[in-house]
Amino acid sequence: MARIGYTLLTEQSGPKQLVRYAVSAERAGFDFEVCSDHYFPWLSAQGQAPYAWSVLGAVAHATDRVELFTYVTCPTMRYHPAVVAQKAATLQILADGRFTLGLGTGENLNEHVVGKRWPTVTRRQEMLREAIQIIRELFTGDLVDWKGEHFEVDSARLWDLPDTPVAIATAVSGDRSVEMFAPLSDHLIAVEPNRDLVASWHETRRATGLPGQVRVIGQLPICWDPDRDTAVRRAHEQFRWFGGGWAVNSDLPTTAGFDGATRYVRPEDVAASIPCGPDLDAIVDAVGAYREAGFTDIALVQIGDEHQERFLAEAAEPLLDKLRAG
């Protein structure tokens, strides 16, 4: 049975609201919670971007059962990998072993703020590979000196290490990223229900002598609302960027860029790819595509801050019942 998660979407909700939703989502029965790590929202209509690690620290204290993930953190530009390692170890202690570090190559939207040139995708992947190697070294608790192609670490050591080691889940999108990151990661993150990608990940791990069957974590946007037309309007206003695909989404630097790139996306285009309205069976069907592709964990994104509490109070439990029955 796939685990069903809830997304703490920092692009659409403030920090206090996110902590409140995290508690409600745990109470409703979600198995895990993932938190985006953004400096900018995708679109100005979303309107938020609190610091994910402060939010997760508060969530770790406010919840008891749900697993927690970054989904995902880029440990190469806005954050140095040595700092990410420290943050992850501390959060694991606060969460009593419930935390998994989700990593990815990042988006220009968030990383440009530190004034560095946005690298090509090949270089971003190489930077992420080196960053994971550094983080792994620091997780041992040993003193680390590192001088690589992209990063330096000077006599660093983590002094507060959790009893439960921090697992690393890495976001991939194609054969090259699978080949690079499957041997370095514990779990797979992917944003599309691609059966071939999942199979390639397992095969690559087995070829290196690692366990083949690991967790595969995906994410699915939904826009539940008692009124379908209202849901479609909200999804179009706040989530039309989603259809651009990651080749586009990773490179645009501003909310204005995303607004311009999606100005001709119609509400019906969004509704064709995102379940909108009160029909819970439509959400179950969409989750089914991930299950059939071999995903073990699917995190739902309820679009729009203003309907989070109603979604969690009215729809979450019956939806989870349907998903688990299916």
Side-chain angles (χ1 to χ4, degrees), residues 232-275:
V232 171
R233 284 195 298 270
R234 187 167 71 244
H236 178 258
E237 177 191 44
Q238 298 195 22
F239 236 76
R240 64 183 183 275
W241 61 270
F242 187 75
W246 293 105
V248 173
N249 293 346
S250 63
D251 282 338
L252 293 177
T254 63
T255 52
F258 277 94
D259 185 63
T262 59
R263 67 174 59 189
Y264 298 115
V265 176
R266 302 169 302 171
E268 55 265 37
D269 299 327
V270 174
S273 60
I274 295 174

Side-chain angles (χ1 to χ4, degrees), residues 72-76 102-107 124 128 132 169-172 181 189:
V72 293
T73 287
C74 175
T76 61
L103 299 176
T105 55
E107 300 94 17
R124 296 199 304 270
L128 179 57
I132 294 174
T170 305
V172 301
F181 300 121
I189 291 173

Side-chain angles (χ1 to χ4, degrees), residues 105-303:
T105 55
E107 300 94 17
N108 196 4
L109 179 70
N110 303 301
E111 307 308 316
H112 80 271
V113 298
V114 294
K116 296 181 180 179
R117 181 180 62 84
W118 184 236
T120 64
V121 64
T122 298
R123 184 164 292 270
R124 296 199 304 270
Q125 290 174 343
E126 292 170 351
M127 293 171 71
L128 179 57
R129 176 171 59 188
E130 188 173 325
I132 294 174
Q133 292 168 337
I134 291 169
I135 291 167
R136 290 285 195 197
E137 288 290 324
L138 286 165
F139 280 169
T140 67
D142 295 335
L143 191 69
V144 174
D145 283 289
W146 182 282
K147 186 174 178 63
E149 182 179 354
H150 303 288
F151 303 104
E152 292 188 24
V153 179
D154 188 2
S155 300
R157 176 186 172 188
L158 297 184
W159 290 87
D160 288 277
L161 287 172
D163 294 332
T164 302
V166 180
I168 293 177
T170 305
V172 301
S173 58
D175 292 339
R176 175 180 168 82
S177 55
V178 167
E179 181 180 347
M180 291 180 72
F181 300 121
L184 294 175
S185 310
D186 299 297
H187 307 299
L188 163 64
I189 291 173
V191 296
E192 296 178 353
N194 186 328
R195 178 188 293 271
D196 292 338
L197 186 74
V198 174
S200 178
W201 178 274
H202 293 325
E203 290 167 6
T204 301
R205 287 181 59 85
R206 282 193 292 266
T208 58
L210 295 168
Q213 298 302 318
V214 296
R215 295 176 73 169
V216 181
I217 306 113
Q219 191 177 56
L220 173 70
I222 64 172
C223 196
W224 177 87
D225 192 285
D227 180 74
R228 187 176 186 276
D229 290 340
T230 300
V232 171
R233 284 195 298 270
R234 187 167 71 244
H236 178 258
E237 177 191 44
Q238 298 195 22
F239 236 76
R240 64 183 183 275
W241 61 270
F242 187 75
W246 293 105
V248 173
N249 293 346
S250 63
D251 282 338
L252 293 177
T254 63
T255 52
F258 277 94
D259 185 63
T262 59
R263 67 174 59 189
Y264 298 115
V265 176
R266 302 169 302 171
E268 55 265 37
D269 299 327
V270 174
S273 60
I274 295 174
C276 293
D279 185 1
L280 299 183
D281 289 331
I283 301 172
V284 174
D285 290 342
V287 169
Y290 284 84
R291 284 174 160 159
E292 291 170 8
F295 283 70
T296 61
D297 301 73
I298 302 100
L300 303 179
V301 184
Q302 164 64 4
I303 297 171

